[in-house]
Amino acid sequence: DTEVTQTPKHLVMGMTNKKSLKCEQHMGHRAMYWYKQKAKKPPELMFVYSYEKLSINESVPSRFSPECPNSSLLNLHLHALQPEDSALYLCASSQDRQYTGELFFGEGSRLTVL
Amino acid sequence: EDKVVQSPLSLVVHEGDTVTLNCSYEVTNFRSLLWYKQEKKAPTFLFMLTSSGIEKKSGRLSSILDKKELFSILNITATQTGDSAIYLCAVEASDSWGKLQFGAGTQVVVTP
C-alpha cells in the first residue's frame, strides 16, 4: 500500500466546475509534488512545494492552483478546465527537495473533463 | 534542452528470460539518474545512480550508469510475470533539485 494517499481516485467534471484534488502523507516528508500523466506518456512535473512553499511552477496554466496548507497536505484546485486536461494526476513526496530519488508516489486521481 | 530517451519502447519476453533496458540522456549539470517501475498507477522507486554510485543491484534487478557515454542500463534476470510493467528512467540536474525529467518508458510484458 502506498503511503501517499490521493482523493478522489476518479473525478469527472464539466468545464465550468470547480473541484479539488487532495493528497496526504504522514512520512514527515517536507517536499511534495504534483505530476500530470497522459495516457502512454511519462509523468510531467507541474509543481513542487518545499517546506510548504511553492518552489517550482512549470509554467502551469492558472486554471490549476496548488495549495499546501501544512507539511502533510497538498491540494490542487481546478477551475475552468479544458478537455485536454483529462489525465492522471499524481502526487508525490520526498524527504526533502534534495532527496528526489526517494520519491513516493500516490496512486493518482484520474480526471476526466467533459 | 535536457533529453531522456529510452529503448526499446516495448518488448515481450518469456518467463526466465533476461531483459536489458536502455536509457540515454543529455542534461546540463547532471546530478542523478533514477529508475522507476509503474504497474498500474503509482510509479515505485527502483534505483538512483549518481557520480558516486554508478552500479546498483537488488535481487534480480541491477543497473549501471556510464557517465562518459551518458547512458544507463537496467537489467532484469530470471524474469517473472510480476515484472510486467512500464519501466521509467528519469534524470535530475544539480541546478534544479526536485525536478525529474522522465523518459517515455519501456513497456515490458513477461509471458508465462
Side-chain angles (χ1 to χ4, degrees):
Chain A
D1 288 341
T2 181
E3 296 182 73
V4 177
T5 304
Q6 290 187 241
T7 56
K9 290 192 181 346
H10 299 275
L11 178 63
V12 179
M13 59 186 292
M15 290 189 283
T16 58
N17 292 158
K18 281 186 182 181
K19 297 286 184 184
S20 296
L21 306 181
K22 297 183 183 304
C23 175
E24 189 169 3
Q25 57 87 14
H26 294 290
M27 295 178 282
H29 288 174
R30 303 313 298 267
M32 295 187 78
Y33 311 75
W34 280 115
Y35 280 84
K36 173 182 177 180
Q37 189 174 26
K38 303 277 278 183
K40 299 190 185 299
K41 298 287 187 183
E44 292 180 356
L45 182 66
M46 298 175 72
F47 303 104
V48 180
Y49 272 83
S50 179
Y51 290 84
E52 297 151 53
K53 290 190 181 348
L54 183 65
S55 55
I56 296 178
N57 176 343
E58 288 289 287
S59 303
V60 179
S62 60
R63 58 185 184 269
F64 295 91
S65 175
E67 179 196 18
C68 190
N70 60 57
S71 60
S72 300
L73 294 174
L74 185 66
N75 298 322
L76 186 63
H77 302 297
L78 315 170
H79 175 53
L81 295 193
Q82 304 296 312
E84 59 265 29
D85 297 321
S86 298
L88 181 67
Y89 288 84
L90 293 163
C91 173
S93 71
S94 66
Q95 183 179 342
D96 192 283
R97 261 184 76 188
Q98 298 181 52
Y99 298 97
T100 324
E102 296 280 0
L103 267 185
F104 288 78
F105 282 89
E107 293 196 343
S109 293
R110 174 79 59 189
L111 174 67
T112 303
V113 182
L114 302 176
Chain B
E1 186 178 318
D2 297 344
K3 193 161 61 172
V4 181
V5 179
Q6 291 187 245
S7 63
L9 288 181
S10 65
L11 71 163
V12 180
V13 299
H14 294 294
E15 263 190 319
D17 288 351
T18 293
V19 162
T20 299
L21 310 181
N22 303 289
C23 176
S24 64
Y25 64 91
E26 294 176 25
V27 61
T28 307
N29 300 317
F30 172 86
R31 179 177 186 231
S32 63
L33 184 145
L34 304 106
W35 285 97
Y36 287 85
K37 177 183 181 182
Q38 187 171 25
E39 292 180 78
K40 290 182 181 175
K41 288 188 177 177
T44 54
F45 171 76
L46 295 175
F47 298 119
M48 182 170 74
L49 301 153
T50 66
S51 300
S52 56
I54 60 172
E55 190 169 348
K56 293 287 175 76
K57 183 175 170 60
S58 176
R60 296 178 294 103
L61 276 66
S62 63
S63 183
I64 61 166
L65 174 70
D66 187 323
K67 278 200 67 182
K68 184 179 176 185
E69 300 298 329
L70 306 183
F71 75 88
S72 175
I73 285 174
L74 176 68
N75 274 318
I76 309 173
T77 60
T79 51
Q80 303 170 357
T81 54
D83 295 325
S84 296
I86 295 173
Y87 290 84
L88 294 164
C89 171
V91 295
E92 183 184 29
S94 56
D95 56 355
S96 56
W97 288 351
K99 180 177 176 180
L100 292 185
Q101 178 156 353
F102 284 87
T106 294
Q107 173 140 34
V108 175
V109 175
V110 182
T111 61

